[in-house]
Amino acid sequence: MTESMAKPRAKGASRASKPRTARALGDSATASKIRFSATLFRPVATAKAVAWTFLSLPKEASAKLPSRGMTSVEGTLNGLAFRATLEPDGQGGHWLKVDRKLREAAGAEAGNVVALEIAAVAEELEPRVPADLRKALAAAHPKARALWSDITPVARRDWIQWIESAKREETRLKRIESACDMLAKGKRRPCCFDRSGMYAKSLSCPVADDTSSDTRR
């Protein structure tokens, strides 16, 4: 994704009640807690400056998650509550994009080891729709827009991940066009999409800036 989906949540904030047939978001009585520590890294410098950092989950922590693909979780980072969607690293593991707001609120910086406690959420988070896809959907056939609204957040996330896994801009544009066409024809998910990136080799964890492990910089 182009921006972090991790959002700090004020402690003590009220939550809307949910039917007993579905586990409420953040129900620690039934959610399996995963505890681990990880180092925050800056991604290598690119043409566009970035303020976010990231961390890789230890293999044993990733193994406890219900999916090798994108997985929404909630928990704490250095004691600060947050919700986010973990990204697959293409190796069967996951990584977390930590935006500047969350990092600073947690009192951490690149190079620091942070403590996390997470659990998979009962209901997947709504994904952020990229601007180019949002524009294409607005101009697409009404059936495409109607189906996009009808499918689940997980299905919408699959379409977005399929589009954003394209390595070339030309491929991305073709996938956006194909997505609108397939949605208009009633296709609810992209065909044969490898959510984990393990087989298509289409997903990976960001490359860490070597200097980000040196907190003196």
Side-chain angles (χ1 to χ4, degrees):
M1 300 293 177
T2 56
E3 67 182 34
S4 174
M5 295 176 66
K7 297 181 180 179
R9 185 178 68 242
K11 293 184 178 179
S14 60
R15 292 175 179 148
S17 60
K18 289 184 178 292
R20 297 298 298 174
T21 54
R23 176 166 63 84
L25 190 64
D27 185 352
S28 59
T30 54
S32 178
K33 298 292 182 66
I34 303 171
R35 298 176 178 85
F36 62 93
S37 296
T39 302
L40 283 178
F41 292 101
R42 287 190 301 266
V44 292
T46 61
K48 182 178 179 181
V50 295
W52 53 271
T53 53
F54 73 95
L55 60 86
S56 294
L57 274 68
K59 290 182 179 180
E60 57 271 22
S62 277
K64 295 177 182 178
L65 293 166
S67 171
R68 299 304 90 210
M70 295 178 74
T71 305
S72 294
V73 299
E74 67 173 2
T76 60
L77 189 155
N78 277 3
L80 182 71
F82 77 100
R83 284 194 265 182
T85 298
L86 303 176
E87 304 270 358
D89 64 5
Q91 304 295 321
H94 299 82
W95 62 277
L96 171 65
K97 185 175 184 178
V98 180
D99 63 22
R100 183 174 62 183
K101 185 177 180 179
L102 174 59
R103 177 180 57 77
E104 292 180 347
E109 59 184 51
N112 289 170
V113 174
V114 292
L116 294 96
E117 180 180 280
I118 62 172
V121 300
E123 297 177 3
E124 285 289 341
L125 306 182
E126 187 64 45
R128 190 191 69 81
V129 182
D132 50 2
L133 175 57
R134 188 166 58 246
K135 182 178 180 181
L137 285 168
H141 192 284
K143 289 184 177 180
R145 295 195 297 273
L147 186 58
W148 179 261
S149 297
D150 185 62
I151 59 179
T152 66
V154 174
R156 283 190 283 272
R157 192 178 66 190
D158 279 356
W159 284 109
I160 293 169
Q161 189 181 9
W162 175 62
I163 290 168
E164 295 200 325
S165 65
K167 297 189 180 300
R168 300 173 55 193
E169 183 63 20
E170 181 183 359
T171 304
R172 179 188 178 97
L173 294 176
K174 287 183 178 179
R175 288 187 180 182
I176 290 176
E177 182 180 356
S178 296
C180 291
D181 181 61
M182 287 189 282
L183 286 163
K185 294 177 179 177
K187 189 90 173 170
R188 302 182 74 87
R189 291 184 186 246
C191 179
C192 305
F193 175 53
D194 174 20
R195 295 179 182 87
S196 70
M198 296 172 64
Y199 309 103
K201 306 299 181 183
S202 58
L203 303 172
S204 62
C205 180
V207 177
D209 183 340
D210 290 340
T211 65
S212 63
S213 60
D214 185 349
T215 57
R216 296 171 300 175
R217 293 177 183 268

